[in-house]
Amino acid sequence: DFSGLRRQLAQAAGGKASERDALEKELQAKISELANDLGARAPNLKAPEQYEAVKEKEREMAAALEEARKEASDAQEAFNRCRQARADTFQEAFDHIAAEIDAIYKELTRSPVHPLGGTAYLSLELTDEPYLGGIKYTAMPPTKRFRDMEQLSGGEKTVAALALLFAIHSFRPSPFFVLDEVDAALDATNVARVAHYIRDKTRGTAGNSEGDVDALSSHFQSIVISLKDIFYEKADALVGVARDTDGRCSRTFTFDLTAFGEPTEAT
């Protein structure tokens, strides 16, 4: 049955033997050509399995990518929460310290001659991104005009620094202070003011008179290393260190002042 062959092939199949031989040779040549072409192409018979393996790898990579995207999103959210918490904590501390520092500085610089005291304030160089800038601290002693902190005298800088220290302490109080010769650059008047202020804070007596502000939220103890006798008379106890020439060592002497009357208040 040659009905399925092309007309030329069907005619040749029913024709002469020579025509069939010629057609057979032609077809054999064509088969050989196609076989050679197919051999040259070297088809990969494992392509379906490799394709499935690649598809499986693609699915795994897509799942890993989605997981990585989720982790990145979670990390970004955690970072944003941390950044916001940092900003809130900083702003809470800054707002408190900025609100307290002026009252503390006024208390450290107030006198009968200048009952209002000086002025001190803090300002951010960059309010939107405070971490990219600094904090400007301005302190103006009584009767002094505005000037940069670098232009203040040593004693004025010391008083300004102590006001900042006490303002920071008012936000997160510590059990006690250790002040090492902070009065070195102060004159007798300022030493008396600082000593009186520390004494009031350690005993909780500040803020009783009109206009005074108790800037510290709790009492604290203070250890002051000083060579000024004004500090001595304001202290509750004295600890002295002296050289023992006989023992060739140092000796300490303590003296409790609470058994004596209150010293005269200095102005």
Side-chain angles (χ1 to χ4, degrees):
D1 183 6
F2 301 110
S3 59
L5 297 176
R6 290 180 303 181
R7 181 180 299 179
Q8 180 183 3
L9 296 178
Q11 292 176 355
K16 298 178 181 181
S18 60
E19 293 178 354
R20 290 196 299 271
D21 293 341
L23 181 59
E24 182 181 0
K25 291 180 181 180
E26 181 183 351
L27 292 176
Q28 288 293 339
K30 187 65 175 177
I31 291 173
S32 298
E33 181 182 353
L34 292 175
N36 292 335
D37 183 59
L38 185 62
R41 293 176 183 272
N44 186 1
L45 300 180
K46 295 184 178 181
E49 292 87 355
Q50 294 177 352
Y51 175 76
E52 289 300 327
V54 172
K55 290 292 291 183
E56 181 63 25
K57 186 67 174 177
E58 180 189 14
R59 287 190 289 269
E60 293 177 359
M61 295 298 293
L65 176 61
E66 187 64 26
E67 183 67 21
R69 286 176 176 172
K70 184 178 182 303
E71 292 179 358
S73 177
D74 294 342
Q76 183 65 38
E77 292 178 1
F79 173 76
N80 290 337
R81 289 194 299 270
C82 181
R83 182 172 61 180
Q84 186 61 43
R86 179 186 67 170
D88 293 343
T89 301
F90 172 83
Q91 198 63 44
E92 179 187 5
F94 177 81
D95 291 343
H96 176 90
I97 296 169
E100 295 290 346
I101 193 168
D102 185 57
I104 295 175
Y105 186 73
K106 288 183 184 306
E107 192 169 350
L108 289 174
T109 56
R110 185 181 295 119
S111 67
V113 180
H114 307 291
L116 297 180
T119 301
Y121 59 89
L122 300 175
S123 59
L124 294 173
E125 294 182 353
L126 295 176
T127 55
D128 295 334
E129 293 290 340
Y131 310 109
L132 300 180
I135 299 176
K136 182 70 173 180
Y137 181 23
T138 302
M140 291 182 290
T143 71
K144 296 292 183 69
R145 60 182 177 83
F146 171 82
R147 63 181 64 183
D148 290 335
M149 188 69 69
E150 293 78 7
Q151 297 178 350
L152 298 179
S153 66
E156 292 169 341
K157 290 180 181 178
T158 299
V159 174
L162 288 174
L164 179 60
L165 174 65
F166 294 134
I168 294 174
H169 178 273
S170 69
F171 178 66
R172 292 289 171 84
S174 59
F176 61 90
F177 278 113
V178 177
L179 303 176
D180 187 1
E181 295 192 21
V182 295
D183 56 354
L186 300 179
D187 57 20
T189 301
N190 283 320
V191 171
R193 292 172 184 167
V194 172
H196 180 70
Y197 180 87
I198 294 176
R199 179 182 177 85
D200 286 347
K201 296 308 177 182
T202 56
R203 297 194 173 188
T205 59
N208 293 331
S209 60
E210 184 179 357
D212 286 342
V213 178
D214 188 1
L216 302 186
S217 59
S218 62
H219 304 165
F220 64 89
Q221 295 179 343
S222 179
I223 300 175
V224 180
I225 302 173
S226 175
L227 298 177
K228 305 293 180 66
D229 56 0
I230 298 178
F231 261 114
Y232 303 162
E233 67 184 27
K234 297 290 185 180
D236 293 325
L238 298 178
V239 178
V241 180
R243 182 180 180 181
D244 186 350
T245 56
D246 296 333
R248 296 184 179 181
C249 61
S250 297
R251 293 185 60 186
T252 58
F253 302 89
T254 59
F255 191 54
D256 185 5
L257 299 181
T258 57
F260 301 90
E262 294 290 333
T264 303
E265 298 293 341
T267 58

